[in-house]
Amino acid sequence: MDTFTPLSAAFGGLMIGASAALFLILNGRIAGVSGILGGLLPPSSGGIGWRAAFLAGLLLAPLVHAGLGGGRPPVAVEASLPLLGLAGLLVGFGARLGAGCTSGHGVCGVGRGSPRSLVATGTFMAAAAVTVFVTRHLIGA
């Protein structure tokens, strides 16, 4: 939180919201990353190209940013590889159970006023708060 600035956060949020809105307007689809990735596994006919391009953009954007002179933030992962694997599986399970992920529900669904997305996002946030409390204050990790 040492580098947080409200202006950069507002600009980033504006860019995410604008891109999700444009994706919906231009493609008629929700920019939910788990749904886009899930459509590639197994691939559905006619949807491979745009899905692959979307995911490639997610992976390449930080590299383009760094190439244009933007710095890379320091990343320190203090969890073990097995714990990270378990966390990934739990996130995937939760996205499947909730019929979407934070990008689909939290960004796109809340913006559209979807009751299901409002409940899902509230659940995500509550689970995150409980997880942080337990790991930081009860377990001491």
Side-chain angles (χ1 to χ4, degrees), residues 23 27 29 36 39-40 43-57:
F23 195 75
N27 296 314
R29 298 184 180 273
I36 292 170
L40 287 175
S44 58
S45 63
I48 296 172
W50 73 265
R51 291 174 193 275
F54 185 96
L55 295 171

Side-chain angles (χ1 to χ4, degrees), residues 3-133:
T3 60
F4 173 77
T5 60
L7 187 59
S8 65
F11 183 66
L14 208 90
M15 289 181 13
I16 291 170
S19 64
L22 279 172
F23 195 75
L24 180 62
I25 291 167
L26 298 175
N27 296 314
R29 298 184 180 273
I30 302 296
V33 177
S34 65
I36 292 170
L37 177 63
L40 287 175
L41 309 168
S44 58
S45 63
I48 296 172
W50 73 265
R51 291 174 193 275
F54 185 96
L55 295 171
L58 289 178
L59 296 173
L60 293 175
L63 299 176
V64 171
H65 179 263
L68 293 174
R72 292 186 355 209
V75 177
V77 179
E78 298 175 6
S80 66
L81 196 57
L83 185 60
L84 290 173
L86 176 63
L89 289 172
L90 289 172
V91 167
F93 175 75
R96 179 61 83 179
L97 181 67
C101 59
T102 52
S103 58
H105 283 301
V107 175
C108 301
V110 168
R112 292 181 302 118
S114 165
R116 185 177 85 167
S117 291
L118 290 167
V119 170
T121 303
T123 303
F124 297 156
M125 297 302 289
V130 168
T131 301
V132 169
F133 179 80

